[in-house]
Amino acid sequence: MSIFKDDILIGKVAVITGGGGDICKEIATVFSAHGARVVITSRSQERLDIAAAQINDATGGEALAIAADVRNYEELQAVVARTVEEFGGIDILINGAAGNFPAPIAALSPKGFRTVIEIDLEGTYNMTRACFDELKKAGADHGNASIVNITATLQYVGTPFQAHVNAAKAGIDALTRTVANEWGALNIRCNGVAPGPIDDTEGMRRLSPSAESRQKYMNTIPLGRYGTKREISDACLFLVSDASRYTTGAILVVDGGSWLYSPGLGPNASI
Ligand code: HXC
Ligand code: NAP
C-alpha cells in the first residue's frame, strides 16, 4: 500500500547507486512500484542480480542490474550508456552508495579516511557528473529531472568515530546545494535525504550492533524508535515527484527527531 498514486513515476527512468543494499533496494522497489524503470548499481553483480529479481517479483517491473564501482568514472559512464541503450535516458538519479565503519581518528589510517571520502563524496560527484547529459535532456524534455543524494545527520554534531563519514556527508550536502544552484536553470533539481537510524540495515548493524547499544540509542530518539526503509523511500519518492517540483537544494531529515535529541533540564525533567 502506498500513500502516493501508483502511476506517478510512469515513463521515468531512475538510476540508483548502492541499489543492491538495504535502503537503496527499497527505494528502487518503491520507485518501480510507482511505474519507474529502475537501474540498480553497486560493486557485486551477484548481489545486484538477487536484488533485481526481488524488485521485479515484488512489482512486476523490469529492474536492470549493472555492476560498477562509484570510484571508477569509466565504469559509471558504462552504466549510463547501458541505461540509455536499454531504457532511452535518465530522469532520476539516487546517489546512495556508501561505506562506513566505526573508528576513532587515532585508529583511522589515511587510507581508511580516504576510502570513505572516495566512495561517498567522490562517488556522488562522479555519478552526478556522469549522468549530466541525460538529466539535462530530461529537464528540457519534461521539466523535472531530479537527483537525490542520500546523506546522514551524523555530521551535524561531529559524531565520534565517524570522522571519515562526517566529512564525506558534509561534502555531499555542500555538493547538493551547489548542483541545485548550477543546474536549476536546466530543470534539474538536486535534494538530499538524511536518514537517522534505520532498522534492519547494514549501516545500523555496523554502528549499533548489540541489543544494548540499540536500546540506548533508541532512548535518545524523540519518536522513540528506529525508522524504516520504507520511510526513507517515501521521502525520496516525494522529492523526485512533481509534488516537490519547486523544491531544490533541500535536505530532508528523516530521523524521528534523532539529531535534535536534548537531555532536557536535568534528571527531574519530565513531561
Ligand atoms: C579501521 C578500517 C576498518 C575499521 C576498513 N578500514 N575497516 N579501519 N577500522 N573497521 C580501513 C582499512 O584498514 C584500509 O586502510 C581502508 O579502510 C580501506 O579498506 P578496504 O577493505 O581495502 O576497502 P574497500 O574494500 O574499498 O571497502 C570499503 C569499506 C567496506 C568501506 C572499508 O567496509 C565496504 O565495502 N563497505 C560497504 C558497505 C557499508 O559500509 N555499508 C554501510 C553504509 S551505512 P589501510 O590503511 O589499513 O590499508 C552508512 C551510514 C550509517 O554509511 C549511518 C547510521 C546512522
Ligand atoms: P548498505 O546496505 O551497505 O548499502 C550501501 C550500498 O553501497 C551497498 O549496496 C554497497 O554494495 C554499495 N557500495 C559500497 N561501496 C561501493 C562502491 N565503491 N561502489 C559502488 N557501490 C558501493 O547500507 P545502508 O545502511 O542501506 O545505507 C544506504 C545509504 O543510507 C548510505 O548512503 C548510508 O550512508 C545512508 N544512511 C544509512 C543509515 C542507516 O541507518 N542505515 C543512516 C544514515 C544514512 P557493494 O558492497 O556490493 O558495492
Side-chain angles (χ1 to χ4, degrees):
M1 258 298 276
S2 176
I3 60 159
F4 299 92
K5 284 187 179 167
D6 61 11
D7 62 354
I8 58 174
L9 295 186
I10 278 186
K12 299 284 173 68
V13 176
V15 177
I16 300 165
T17 75
D22 293 312
I23 291 175
C24 294
K25 183 175 76 178
E26 178 75 5
I27 295 170
T29 305
V30 166
F31 282 14
S32 177
H34 289 81
R37 284 175 295 171
V38 300
V39 175
I40 54 175
T41 180
S42 43
R43 287 168 301 178
S44 163
Q45 185 68 51
E46 194 186 347
R47 202 171 161 204
L48 284 171
D49 287 340
I50 294 167
Q54 289 170 337
I55 293 166
N56 293 337
D57 278 354
T59 69
E62 43 180 321
L64 188 63
I66 313 172
D69 189 321
V70 291
R71 294 169 286 192
N72 184 320
Y73 191 67
E74 286 71 34
E75 287 182 18
L76 297 180
Q77 286 179 306
V79 172
V80 171
R82 173 93 191 282
T83 303
V84 172
E85 196 181 305
E86 300 277 343
F87 291 159
I90 298 172
D91 306 281
I92 295 165
L93 168 64
I94 306 292
N95 283 305
N100 192 359
F101 50 83
I105 292 168
L108 189 58
S109 70
K111 188 177 165 201
F113 185 86
R114 190 185 324 127
T115 296
V116 170
I117 296 290
E118 284 175 351
I119 299 172
D120 293 29
L121 177 55
E122 292 185 24
T124 296
Y125 168 77
N126 287 342
M127 194 50 169
T128 300
R129 178 67 187 85
C131 289
F132 174 64
D133 288 345
E134 294 307 317
L135 291 169
K136 185 178 166 187
K137 280 183 215 159
D141 183 40
H142 56 68
N144 189 14
S146 184
I147 303 168
V148 175
N149 295 327
I150 308 300
T151 174
T153 59
L154 304 168
Q155 69 276 18
Y156 299 168
V157 294
T159 301
F161 313 137
Q162 291 283 278
H164 44 341
V165 175
N166 292 338
K169 295 296 195 185
I172 288 173
D173 291 347
L175 189 60
T176 296
R177 297 186 182 103
T178 309
V179 171
N181 247 329
E182 282 198 19
W183 296 357
L186 301 171
N187 292 323
I188 304 171
R189 298 182 300 118
C190 185
N191 293 292
V193 166
I198 303 304
D199 222 351
D200 193 23
T201 62
E202 183 58 26
M204 289 317 293
R205 283 188 285 275
R206 285 174 184 235
L207 293 197
S208 191
S210 70
E212 191 194 358
S213 61
R214 180 185 156 86
Q215 190 54 53
K216 206 168 149 195
Y217 199 162
M218 216 165 303
N219 290 342
T220 69
I221 301 170
L223 290 186
R225 63 175 177 86
Y226 281 6
T228 66
K229 290 175 276 195
R230 181 59 192 249
E231 286 164 342
I232 300 306
S233 305
D234 282 347
C236 292
L237 183 56
F238 167 70
L239 283 174
V240 304
S241 75
D242 285 347
S244 65
R245 61 194 172 276
Y246 199 53
T247 300
T248 194
I251 295 165
L252 180 54
V253 173
V254 186
D255 76 336
S258 176
W259 89 270
L260 294 174
Y261 170 71
S262 162
L265 299 174
N268 298 321
S270 62
I271 46 172

